Amino acid sequence: MSQPPNPQYQQAAMPGCWWHPNRPTGLSCSRCERPACPDCLREASVGFHCTDCVQAGRQQDRVQQKQYRDAGYGARTLAGAQQPRTAVVTPVLLALNVIIFFITVAQAGSISENFYSEVFQYGQLSNSAALVDGEWWRIFTSGFLQFGLLHIASNAFSLWFVGRPLETALGRIPFVALYFVSMLGGSVANLVFTDLNAPPVIGASGAIFGLIGAYAVIVIRLRLNPTWLLVMLGLNVFITFQVPGISVLAHAGGFIAGLVTTFALLYAPEKNRLMWQIGGIAIVVVALIGLLVWRDVQTASSVCGGVPEAGRLVYRCYPA
């Protein structure tokens, strides 16, 4: 006759947990097969893994994901670029605008009249200086100049609000291309379609309107609800036409340039996408430069420079 099983004998025969030897257990890690008590096991896709294997698996996954991203694979944006985890370009652009603003304030000695600073006078988009004296750097430097506290505050808020989600949606390099092509488009529109004596233009709003144009293409491409876009666009158009001193042409030029650039980014064929995107953006840039050249050859030459007026520097152009 057989004897009933002895519970003490069965408990003593069980191996102890690898991490808690005083805890007998009949369980084990399905990966390393070491005995483990319930407190040391975690549910996995297949069986249960011990805490050491879970940590090692996570570390291995991080290494593999990094190698995958470094090889050019991984999650992709709408433009086919690598997916950025956070927006970096937008804060950098915002910081540049703020730093340059305070430089102009320091030079002018006034926060409300910072346009008298040397950086402002030599950086603003003056038609005569750019077209007549060949100071083409003003096409881009003007996009980082802001007049007064309200101007820098409104443009900084718009850039932060619009730029960050767009940067993560497109990718950093496509976003940089979009921003500066939009800035170029706004400047070219002002240089080509206004007369030589038009007031100088400054501000990041031309590039920001280009970002709004990019949103329009994204809404169409993904068939999203356009309500938010229409509200944002309507508000900016209202401000453009109602607030005095705003360059309508610079806003329109930036919007169109941003729209066309984003079209080239999002509608490029899958095969050789990067080459198609570069080619599309190059066509936009060449067309804008062509308009500048056409306008430049029609302009008479003159001499420009900074002259003191009432103790402050003002930039003037005179016939050669």
Side-chain angles (χ1 to χ4, degrees):
M1 181 179 294
S2 62
Q3 296 179 348
N6 188 337
Q8 294 180 350
Y9 174 81
Q10 289 181 348
Q11 185 177 18
M14 287 185 181
C17 173
W18 185 270
W19 296 268
H20 306 95
N22 61 337
R23 297 182 185 178
T25 179
L27 304 174
S28 63
C29 173
S30 58
R31 184 174 181 179
C32 66
E33 298 184 350
R34 290 180 293 183
C37 65
D39 291 339
C40 296
L41 291 174
R42 302 291 182 270
E43 187 175 1
S45 57
V46 178
F48 292 85
H49 291 175
C50 65
T51 53
D52 285 355
C53 288
V54 170
Q55 186 175 2
R58 289 174 179 171
Q59 179 65 24
Q60 184 178 2
D61 289 342
R62 284 193 292 266
V63 172
Q64 290 177 345
Q65 289 173 6
K66 184 178 184 304
Q67 293 174 344
Y68 195 65
R69 291 193 302 270
D70 294 343
Y73 302 102
R76 292 287 171 173
T77 65
L78 296 175
Q82 293 189 33
Q83 181 73 55
R85 294 184 178 181
T86 57
V88 173
V89 178
T90 302
V92 170
L93 291 172
L94 180 59
L96 283 174
N97 279 275
V98 173
I99 291 171
I100 294 172
F101 172 74
F102 282 108
I103 290 175
T104 62
V105 169
Q107 287 184 342
S110 172
I111 198 168
S112 60
E113 295 183 340
N114 62 315
F115 53 85
Y116 284 116
S117 69
E118 185 175 355
V119 169
F120 208 104
Q121 292 295 322
Y122 282 95
Q124 64 187 354
L125 184 62
S126 168
N127 285 18
S128 54
L131 293 170
V132 175
D133 211 30
E135 298 179 357
W136 300 112
W137 67 80
R138 294 173 179 268
I139 291 173
F140 294 104
T141 56
S142 60
F144 291 93
L145 294 171
Q146 321 297 324
F147 169 54
L149 192 60
L150 181 60
H151 194 203
I152 181 64
S154 60
N155 279 344
F157 173 78
S158 298
L159 178 57
W160 182 258
F161 181 72
V162 177
R164 287 182 305 131
L166 193 59
E167 180 183 345
T168 55
L170 295 177
R172 288 170 185 159
I173 295 178
F175 180 78
V176 170
L178 168 66
Y179 190 88
F180 283 99
V181 173
S182 300
M183 185 182 292
L184 175 64
S187 298
V188 168
N190 189 79
L191 289 170
V192 172
F193 299 109
T194 59
D195 59 54
L196 204 59
N197 298 319
V201 173
I202 50 92
S205 52
I208 293 172
F209 261 80
L211 304 185
I212 297 175
Y215 272 106
V217 178
I218 292 174
V219 166
I220 295 172
R221 185 75 172 89
L222 301 181
R223 298 179 181 179
L224 303 176
N225 187 336
T227 303
W228 181 83
L229 173 66
L230 294 175
V231 171
M232 179 175 61
L233 184 59
L235 178 61
N236 281 276
V237 170
F238 175 80
I239 294 173
T240 299
F241 284 97
Q242 293 300 318
V243 177
I246 291 181
S247 175
V248 177
L249 284 171
H251 286 189
F255 180 83
I256 294 172
L259 190 147
V260 176
T261 299
T262 310
F263 185 89
L265 289 171
L266 267 59
Y267 283 88
E270 286 288 338
K271 187 176 182 180
N272 298 323
R273 172 188 278 178
L274 181 60
M275 297 305 298
W276 281 100
Q277 290 173 333
I278 294 174
I281 295 174
I283 291 173
V284 177
V285 173
V286 169
L288 292 172
I289 294 176
L291 285 172
L292 276 180
V293 173
W294 172 78
R295 183 73 171 90
D296 184 52
V297 297
Q298 296 180 348
T299 306
S301 61
S302 65
V303 178
C304 302
V307 294
E309 289 187 5
R312 291 178 172 179
L313 181 69
V314 179
Y315 201 89
R316 302 291 187 192
C317 291
Y318 305 95

